[in-house]
Amino acid sequence: MPVNMISKFLEKAVPQLDVAPPVKIRASWRTGVLRNPNMEKLQKGYLFPEIGIKHEEHLKKYPDAKVISLGIGDTTEPIPNIVTSAMAKYALALSTPEGYQGYGPEKGHKVYSDMGIKESEVFISDGAQCDIARLQMLFGPNVTIAVQDPTFPGYVDNGVIMGQTGKVDDSGKYAGIEYMRCAPENAFFPDLSRVRQTDVIFFCSPNNPTGHVASREQLRQLVDFARRNGSIIVFDSAYSSYVSAGGGAPQSIYEIPGAREVAIEVSSFSKFAGFTGVRLGWAVVPDELLYSDGSPVARDFDRIVCTCFNGASSVAQAGGLACLSEEGHAAIQRVVGVYKENARVLVETFESLGKEVYGGADSPYVWVRFPGRRSWDVFAEILEKTHVITVPGSGFGPGGEGFIRVSAFNSRDRVIEACERLRSFLA
Amino acid sequence: MPVNMISKFLEKAVPQLDVAPPVKIRASWRTGVLRNPNMEKLQKGYLFPEIGIKHEEHLKKYPDAKVISLGIGDTTEPIPNIVTSAMAKYALALSTPEGYQGYGPEKGHKVYSDMGIKESEVFISDGAQCDIARLQMLFGPNVTIAVQDPTFPGYVDNGVIMGQTGKVDDSGKYAGIEYMRCAPENAFFPDLSRVRQTDVIFFCSPNNPTGHVASREQLRQLVDFARRNGSIIVFDSAYSSYVSAGGGAPQSIYEIPGAREVAIEVSSFSKFAGFTGVRLGWAVVPDELLYSDGSPVARDFDRIVCTCFNGASSVAQAGGLACLSEEGHAAIQRVVGVYKENARVLVETFESLGKEVYGGADSPYVWVRFPGRRSWDVFAEILEKTHVITVPGSGFGPGGEGFIRVSAFNSRDRVIEACERLRSFLA
């Protein structure tokens, strides 16, 4: 639908335009503007559009293939009606003088105490990926960063764009970035005694792509490590709704004592409520988080948010609010449950085939090892033989080489069909 | 409504969180992270939140005052029902398997010819301000920029954040930026023979804040200037819907021959359709626009959009599409007509008071001169005596000193009431 929508949109986007045809003054006109050297440093395309290109190429080669995507983490289940009704109601009210609303506030003001987080510390956004970009703008070119390896590629790519790194080496590592290896050998948690001090530590739990959920004890170690080193943690909890309640693993970094002074948290409604298209997320920047000069990080982040962004769509916010009502929350938890069951089916399938498989318990991602193989080769082979899209692990950093990520975001029927195909291929 | 919404939102944003209270390990804990020196360079707060603070302070001082805001350019008229119905319908469809849609495409693909703009050249966004931030990330720290003076502060502020400038001087100019003075003395169009060559030229028409609309001949000069200098123009047409059809002034830079090789255009539904809260805009980056190394600017911008952004809300896009239907377009043009009539009333009021007044004809902004006065003083005096919020001209650059910007975005009743108060104050 959106493709069509955008087509029509564009046909009329600049109505009544009296357009001049392109002028052929030179065959290849160039401006004198130098390309941003940081953009030059970026490796190839961004991972997920690259997967989309492979998907399209495959469809050209096999026009009749029933391709099943367990690739990019795009949600597929309908959004509960209580949530979409709230958006519809809000949208319709925009046609009334009482309901019309223009620019929203950049952040809230009301203090509440039971969570230890003040409303003024929470910045409503259009998603965690966008907040990561804004946080990297906030930190600027001079900071050093550490990332889990493998991890969501946005932390590194935005750091490269901001000029925080040198060039990439043959192994796929950018000079200046500290890669914290997370592998079965260390139970997917880095040996912090061997991690170099950096200004900022990006940490994602449940991890994308490995599906590993950091335990309370591990997050305590991480917070202690940041405190000892004077670092700032950016904790990405976009998948926290997949963490089983009562399992002991924190859903937020602020469950750890001392985190308020060292940690920012970003999160999202995308995978929580199927808002990948609706767009809604938030970032928490506690008042106690200070730069070395004593100035609050939140003050500068507020400036970034006001200058570079104008708030999340008010209609999306209306939907987000409905997700947090008792009924809405129960409804979206049922959807999360569908994906978690998909993940369980995927794990079971790979295990029954004797594969080494991780994640998928408190996470929508299943991480499968193919020892001695290159990720992109495995990706290509699975696609060629089974018409199933996955994501090559090396796309998430050199530490992902030899793995593929399989996403649980699809209908149960398609996941079962994909498992049957994988079974006959891998058996 | 949104403030409440966000209050409730935050109360439940991290459900079932087992939060530790802040740990008082040190009275003033600091991380070791150096504040981004580019953030330090930024002057005070961002203009529009600053106006909001003045507004709040005034309400504390005069709790019973009926404050009328002709300040930040926030739309007030309800959105036509055809548009909100389309959003509601789209939102409700997200609860059905057929209507559910996750991530949208970053851009369209269908080619259409009558405008000379290909679908692949148009990037749908969450608004022009956000695109300006992304364009500044694209250009990076090494480019030089020129801006109209006065102009929308986002171009400069985002340039400062990206490290394109030195420090600010006493006059409010950042070192390294070329300020193109636009004043009554030059009919609000810069003398290009005296403008220094820069990599990028930000140009806003109809201009915010002066309301000046560049003529076809002036835009021809601008495009020629950019071509001679090897510069890239970023043309901000966020207010193009206020330009009267048939008046001869272009609504798009692409009406000028040769613009495709040198110009990017950003635009928005905010002031066109009252989407300040809904959030929707677009940027056009033509294929012919190349860096000095011959690489296409669009390729790098696509990378930025994919890496730092995840697309505009799909619900907002559904609304945007309805705005472009014949019926929708007619309906939103009627709303634009309401604001244009407000602007006419404002111009007439100031003229009848013998003030020097500009803009307001093909623009929602009226630009009023107070010779020999400082803008912030005039702003404060008007607020104190009439309870009317305006915006001090110097907030848009040193060239705005001695002016105030008066916005036509309010109901007719309030605009008339504001004019009466201004009349008795200024008479």
Side-chain angles (χ1 to χ4, degrees), chain B residues 132-152:
Chain B
I132 287 157
R134 283 186 285 267
L135 285 167
Q136 287 286 36
M137 285 181 85
L138 170 79
F139 296 132
N142 300 332
V143 299
T144 52
I145 69 168
V147 294
Q148 290 157 294
D149 179 24
T151 199
F152 173 66

Side-chain angles (χ1 to χ4, degrees), chain B residues 246-317:
Chain B
Q251 290 187 312
S252 164
I253 193 72
Y254 302 114
E255 297 185 41
I256 307 301
R260 285 182 58 85
E261 290 88 351
V262 297
I264 291 167
E265 185 162 301
V266 296
S267 203
S268 171
F269 279 79
S270 289
K271 314 301 165 82
F272 174 44
F275 271 31
T276 43
V278 173
R279 311 302 310 141
L280 194 65
W282 73 90
V284 180
V285 186
D287 290 342
E288 289 91 332
L289 185 68
L290 305 178
Y291 287 117
S292 60
D293 68 357
S295 67
V297 175
R299 192 177 62 196
D300 279 0
F301 189 59
D302 187 49
R303 189 69 155 89
I304 290 277
V305 167
C306 292
T307 309
C308 315
F309 181 53
N310 245 327
S313 175
S314 52
V315 185
Q317 291 192 47

Side-chain angles (χ1 to χ4, degrees), chain A residues 2 5-13 15 17-20 22-23 25 29-37 39 43-46 49 74-81 84 88 91-92 94-97 100-103 110 112 115 119 122 124 126 129-130 133 137-140 142 157-158 199 227 230 251-252 254-255 257-258 260-262 269 271 274 276-279 282 288 290-295 300 303-304 306-311 313-314 317 321 324 329, chain B residues 2 5-13 15 17-20 22-23 25 29-37 39 42-46 49 74-81 84 88 91-92 94-97 100-103 110 112 115 119 122 124 126 129-130 133 137-140 142 157-158 199 227 230 251-252 254-255 257-258 260-262 269 271 274 276-279 282 290-295 300 303-304 306-311 313-314 317 321 324 329:
Chain A
M5 181 171 299
I6 289 176
S7 304
K8 287 192 201 162
F9 179 97
L10 295 177
E11 277 168 18
K12 303 192 177 177
L17 192 63
D18 173 19
V19 173
V23 176
I25 294 182
W29 173 272
R30 293 179 185 189
T31 67
V33 180
L34 287 174
R35 186 179 178 207
N36 181 348
M39 294 302 297
Q43 281 187 291
K44 298 162 286 172
Y46 187 61
D74 195 3
T75 45
T76 55
E77 293 298 299
I79 299 173
N81 190 264
T84 62
L92 288 172
L94 289 171
S95 286
T96 66
Y100 182 73
Q101 190 68 44
Y103 290 123
K110 207 184 103 191
Y112 56 100
M115 265 192 235
E119 194 167 316
V122 182
I124 307 295
D126 55 340
Q129 177 168 338
C130 316
M137 286 181 84
L138 171 78
F139 295 132
N142 301 331
D157 284 7
N158 277 292
D199 294 311
R227 294 183 72 98
Q251 289 187 314
S252 163
Y254 301 115
E255 297 184 43
R260 285 182 58 86
E261 290 88 351
V262 297
F269 279 79
K271 313 302 164 82
T276 44
V278 173
R279 312 301 311 139
W282 71 91
E288 288 91 332
L290 306 178
Y291 288 117
S292 59
D293 68 357
S295 69
D300 279 0
R303 189 71 156 89
I304 290 277
C306 292
T307 309
C308 315
F309 180 53
N310 245 328
S313 175
S314 53
Q317 290 191 46
L321 185 55
L324 302 172
H329 193 251
Chain B
M5 182 172 295
I6 288 176
S7 305
K8 287 195 201 159
F9 179 97
L10 295 176
E11 278 167 17
K12 302 194 178 175
L17 193 61
D18 173 18
V19 173
V23 176
I25 293 182
W29 173 271
R30 295 178 184 190
T31 67
V33 179
L34 286 173
R35 187 178 177 207
N36 181 348
M39 294 302 297
L42 278 174
Q43 283 186 290
K44 298 161 286 174
Y46 187 62
D74 194 6
T75 46
T76 55
E77 293 297 299
I79 299 173
N81 190 264
T84 61
L92 287 173
L94 289 172
S95 286
T96 66
Y100 182 74
Q101 190 70 44
Y103 289 123
K110 207 185 103 192
Y112 57 99
M115 267 193 235
E119 192 168 317
V122 182
I124 307 296
D126 54 340
Q129 176 168 340
C130 315
M137 285 181 85
L138 170 79
F139 296 132
N142 300 332
D157 284 6
N158 277 292
D199 294 311
R227 294 183 72 97
Q251 290 187 312
S252 164
Y254 302 114
E255 297 185 41
R260 285 182 58 85
E261 290 88 351
V262 297
F269 279 79
K271 314 301 165 82
T276 43
V278 173
R279 311 302 310 141
W282 73 90
L290 305 178
Y291 287 117
S292 60
D293 68 357
S295 67
D300 279 0
R303 189 69 155 89
I304 290 277
C306 292
T307 309
C308 315
F309 181 53
N310 245 327
S313 175
S314 52
Q317 291 192 47
L321 185 55
L324 302 171
H329 194 253

